[in-house]
Amino acid sequence: MKLYLDPGHGGSDPGASGNGLKEKDVTLDIALRIRSILTNNFEDVEVKMSRTSDSNKNLQQRTNEANNWDADYYVSIHCNAFNGSAQGYEDYIHNQLSNSSRTADYRNIMHEEITKVNGLTNRGKRKANFHVLRETRMSAFLSENGFIDNIQDAALMKQSSWKQNVAQGHVNGIARAFNLKPKNGGTGKLYKVIAGSFKAKDNADERVTFLSAKGLDAYVTTVTISGEPWYRVQVGAFSNRENAESRLRAVENTGVDGFIVEE
């Protein structure tokens, strides 16, 4: 399959900003990780990016390039902003598409996979008349990965492990939607390194602070077990089990017990 991957904004257009971050930098980081995971781990996938550096390209140029390349799927990566109080994840397809369209089917898969791993409040599936959703001839999807002007969301955006997980979530969705085959007999699975599971979020936050002081990017995710919420501390997610085991050893070297969750 041919994926046109569009990290929003760039160059003289920084996008949204807040808490020392610019949207154009966060979106490029995530998109580069998506390309890397896809091309390294799956067969028969081509990725063309609207930009691979801090460069300018207007919206018409982006959609024309995707259309002329005859891409199978257009994925646009963004971050949100409002007034500092809003937070969470949402995604979009064009507002004239029905919920039974192929694009909506793809989006349902993407939404499910991304919200599994991003640790953000789920703001739901939405529709809009955005240029990149309207002017593309292929199915198109736009993700808004947190609010850059919100302190909690921005704290996640500053963590490389969080951006890697967000990228992996996008990849998991793309791989499911297009039935991509893992390379070299791989499993296509995701291995999450967990450094504690707590009933109280304060305890999970304390564990994150401890691990961060040890140089390990960590953040809190929420899972439901037997109908009750638990707060897990995640320290990375990997498509390669050996890499997950290496991270687990680094966690255990701090004196914290951890484990790997396979999905």
Side-chain angles (χ1 to χ4, degrees):
M1 66 90 68
K2 297 168 71 173
L3 172 70
Y4 191 87
L5 184 56
D6 177 24
H9 309 282
S12 60
D13 173 16
S17 61
N19 296 291
L21 296 169
K22 295 178 181 177
E23 182 181 3
K24 66 176 183 177
D25 299 326
V26 177
T27 60
L28 179 60
D29 192 330
I30 292 171
L32 289 170
R33 293 169 188 266
I34 292 171
R35 181 181 68 172
S36 177
I37 298 169
L38 275 173
T39 56
N40 288 332
N41 293 284
F42 292 93
E43 297 179 352
D44 301 322
V45 58
E46 297 179 67
V47 180
K48 182 185 286 290
M49 294 181 62
S50 61
R51 63 186 182 96
T52 58
S53 62
D54 185 18
S55 57
N56 285 304
K57 186 174 285 183
N58 66 39
L59 294 177
Q60 192 65 56
Q61 289 174 314
R62 297 175 197 230
T63 53
N64 284 349
E65 191 171 69
N67 290 335
N68 292 337
W69 188 50
D70 198 24
D72 295 305
Y73 200 34
Y74 191 110
V75 173
S76 189
I77 309 297
H78 286 263
C79 302
N80 231 325
F82 183 57
N83 61 2
S85 63
Q87 61 185 124
Y89 169 84
E90 61 196 31
D91 47 43
Y92 290 84
I93 58 174
H94 192 257
N95 59 7
Q96 291 187 353
L97 292 171
S98 76
N99 290 333
S100 60
S101 65
R102 181 174 62 177
T103 299
D105 289 341
Y106 289 161
R107 190 269 290 277
N108 290 340
I109 294 171
M110 295 289 290
H111 186 90
E112 180 182 347
E113 293 295 336
I114 294 167
T115 56
K116 280 181 184 178
V117 300
N118 65 8
L120 294 170
T121 302
N122 186 350
R123 294 170 58 88
K125 296 177 280 190
R126 305 189 178 205
K127 296 180 181 181
N129 188 31
F130 298 145
H131 175 96
V132 298
L133 304 178
R134 183 183 66 248
E135 301 299 325
T136 41
R137 292 200 295 262
M138 70 294 303
S139 292
F141 168 88
L142 185 147
S143 60
E144 292 277 8
N145 298 278
F147 282 74
I148 203 166
D149 58 348
N150 177 271
I151 293 174
Q152 288 82 14
D153 284 7
L156 294 177
M157 293 179 195
K158 293 176 181 179
Q159 299 177 12
S160 61
S161 62
W162 179 84
K163 286 177 283 193
Q164 187 71 16
N165 282 357
V166 170
Q168 186 70 58
H170 283 73
V171 169
N172 292 347
I174 293 164
R176 267 187 62 196
F178 289 89
N179 296 310
L180 299 184
K181 295 181 180 179
K183 284 184 177 178
N184 303 319
T187 64
K189 293 180 179 178
L190 183 66
Y191 302 97
K192 299 179 180 179
V193 179
I194 307 300
S197 188
F198 304 89
K199 283 291 293 178
K201 188 174 185 297
D202 287 348
N203 293 338
D205 290 338
E206 184 178 336
R207 176 64 53 84
V208 166
T209 300
F210 173 79
L211 291 170
S212 297
K214 299 292 185 180
L216 293 169
D217 284 337
Y219 64 94
V220 177
T221 64
T222 305
V223 295
T224 301
I225 302 174
S226 300
E228 295 186 356
W230 286 79
Y231 299 97
R232 278 181 172 170
V233 175
Q234 189 165 315
V235 199
F238 305 87
S239 55
N240 181 294
R241 173 129 194 152
E242 291 182 359
N243 292 339
E245 289 173 349
S246 176
R247 178 62 55 83
L248 178 59
R249 287 193 294 271
V251 169
E252 291 176 339
N253 285 340
T254 69
V256 170
D257 290 331
F259 58 94
I260 294 172
V261 173
E262 182 179 308
E263 294 184 352

